[in-house]
C-alpha cells in the first residue's frame, strides 16, 4: 500500500489540463534549447559584451533585491499587521506596477526621476546627479518592477503565520519593534527568502522599463535582456545563445536555493 494516494486516483478532468499547462510552460523552453547551436553558446560565453551584460544583470538584480527588501519588508508588515485607514488603497497601488505595461513603467519612472521629473529635477539641481542612463537608474527600474512581487509575497507569508505569537510576545512585555525582530521575521523567514528570490528573478528578466528609462549603453545600462533584444535584430543565433545563458543562470539559481530556502514544509 506504500505510495498510494489516500485520496484515490487523480481524475482525468484535472490531469489533462495540468499536463497541458506544464506543456505550455516547458515546450517553448525545450524548443529554445534544441534550437541553440552549442558552438554559438561557446561564442556567446566568450563575448566581452555578453559577460559585461550578464554581470550587470546579476549585480543590479542583487542590488534591487536588497533595496526592495529594506523598504518592502516594513511595507508588507504594515499591510499585514496594522489596520489603518486607506490600507486597501495602498495595497491596490502597490500591485499596480505588476500589471503595468513595461514601457509605461519606464515612462512613469522618467516622469518622476528623469532630469526634468518631479523628483529628478530638484535632485539634479541639488546634487548634480540624475538617474537616467546610469547603472543606478537600472537598479531603480528593477526596484520599481520587483518591489510589488516582494511586498505581496511577504505580506502573504506574514498573514499565513498569523498574529498569535505577536500577541503572546506583547503580553510578555515585548515592544512592537522587538516582536518584529525576534518573533515576526523569524517565523516568516522562509516566505521572506522566497520573496527575495522572486524579486531577484523578476529583476533579472526586466527589459521594458529599463530600456525606456535608461537606454542601452554597454557596460552601464545594457543588461542581458537588452543585449538579447539588440542581437535578435541582427543575429538570431546569437540571440538564442544569449537567451540560453539567461535560462541556465535562472534555473541554476532557483535549483541551488530551492531546497535550502524555498521549501517551507
Amino acid at each position: 500500500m506504500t505510495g498510494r494516494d489516500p485520496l484515490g486516483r487523480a481524475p482525468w478532468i484535472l490531469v489533462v489540463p495540468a499536463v497541458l499547462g506544464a506543456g505550455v510552460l516547458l515546450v517553448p523552453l525545450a524548443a529554445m534549447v534544441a534550437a541553440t547551436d552549442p558552438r554559438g553558446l561557446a561564442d556567446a560565453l566568450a563575448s566581452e559584451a555578453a559577460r559585461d551584460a550578464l554581470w550587470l544583470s546579476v549585480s543590479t538584480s542583487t542590488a534591487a533585491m536588497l533595496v526592495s527588501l529594506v523598504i518592502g519588508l516594513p511595507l508588507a508588515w504594515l499591510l499585514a499587521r496594522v489596520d489603518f485607514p486607506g490600507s486597501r488603497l495602498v495595497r491596490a497601488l502597490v500591485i499596480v506596477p505588476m500589471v503595468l505595461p513595461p514601457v509605461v513603467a519606464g515612462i512613469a519612472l522618467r516622469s518622476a526621476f528623469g532630469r526634468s521629473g518631479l523628483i529628478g529635477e530638484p535632485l539634479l539641481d541639488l546634487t548634480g546627479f540624475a538617474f537616467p542612463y546610469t547603472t543606478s537608474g537600472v537598479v531603480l527600474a528593477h526596484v520599481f518592477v520587483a518591489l510589488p512581487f516582494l511586498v505581496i509575497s511577504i505580506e502573504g507569508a506574514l498573514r499565513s503565520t498569523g498574529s498569535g505569537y505577536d500577541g503572546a510576545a506583547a503580553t510578555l512585555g515585548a515592544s512592537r519593534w522587538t516582536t518584529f525582530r525576534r518573533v515576526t521575521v523569524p517565523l516568516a523567514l522562509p516566505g521572506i527568502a522566497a520573496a527575495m528570490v522572486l524579486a531577484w528573478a523578476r529583476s533579472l528578466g526586466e527589459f521594458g522599463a529599463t530600456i525606456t528609462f535608461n537606454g542601452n549603453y554597454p557596460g552601464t545600462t545594457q543588461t542581458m535582456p537588452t543585449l538579447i533584444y539588440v542581437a535578435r535584430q541582427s543575429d538570431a543565433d546569437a540571440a538564442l545563445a544569449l537567451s540560453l545563458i539567461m535560462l541556465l543562470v535562472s534555473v541554476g539559481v532557483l535549483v541551488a536555493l530551492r531546497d535550502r530556502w524555498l521549501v517551507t514544509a
Side-chain angles (χ1 to χ4, degrees):
M1 300 295 291
T2 302
R4 292 179 60 87
D5 188 340
L7 298 180
R9 180 179 297 178
W12 284 106
I13 197 171
L14 297 179
V15 171
V16 171
V19 171
L20 290 175
V24 168
L25 296 175
L26 298 178
V27 168
L29 299 178
M32 182 180 72
V33 173
T36 303
D37 185 349
R39 291 172 297 180
L41 180 60
D43 292 340
L45 288 171
S47 166
E48 183 178 356
R51 292 198 303 268
D52 289 345
L54 181 59
W55 168 248
L56 185 64
S57 290
V58 171
S59 59
T60 53
S61 296
T62 302
M65 176 192 68
L66 295 175
V67 172
S68 296
L69 179 66
V70 170
I71 63 179
L73 177 56
L75 178 55
W77 174 85
L78 193 70
L79 293 173
R81 290 288 194 268
V82 180
D83 186 15
F84 62 93
S87 60
R88 292 177 181 269
L89 177 61
V90 172
R91 184 178 294 104
L93 293 176
V94 167
I95 295 174
V96 166
M98 296 174 66
V99 297
L100 278 179
V103 67
V104 176
I107 291 172
L109 286 168
R110 184 169 292 277
S111 300
F113 296 101
R115 291 177 176 271
S116 58
L118 181 65
I119 297 173
E121 186 173 9
L123 179 65
L124 181 62
D125 293 340
L126 287 172
T127 67
F129 172 78
F131 276 105
Y133 311 114
T134 67
T135 302
S136 297
V138 174
V139 174
L140 178 60
H142 286 185
V143 169
F144 184 77
V145 299
L147 182 59
F149 290 88
L150 181 135
V151 170
I152 296 304
S153 297
I154 293 181
E155 183 191 359
L158 293 175
R159 289 187 182 278
S160 67
T161 60
S163 58
Y165 289 102
D166 290 13
T171 61
L172 295 175
S175 67
R176 209 154 194 180
W177 171 238
T178 300
T179 301
F180 173 80
R181 291 187 296 112
R182 304 288 295 274
V183 178
T184 307
V185 170
L187 285 174
L189 196 57
I192 293 172
M196 291 172 62
V197 174
L198 178 62
W200 185 87
R202 178 63 186 87
S203 297
L204 189 69
E206 166 52 33
F207 168 72
T210 301
I211 198 170
T212 303
F213 184 52
N214 297 291
N216 184 32
Y217 296 95
T220 304
T221 66
Q222 187 178 74
T223 59
M224 280 293 280
T226 56
L227 177 61
I228 292 169
Y229 174 75
V230 172
R232 180 67 180 85
Q233 300 178 38
S234 58
D235 190 343
D237 291 336
L240 275 171
L242 293 170
S243 298
L244 183 57
I245 292 173
M246 283 289 287
L247 175 63
L248 293 175
V249 170
S250 301
V251 171
V253 170
L254 293 177
V255 169
L257 296 180
R258 185 179 187 279
D259 289 339
R260 183 172 182 180
W261 284 357
L262 302 186
V263 175
T264 59

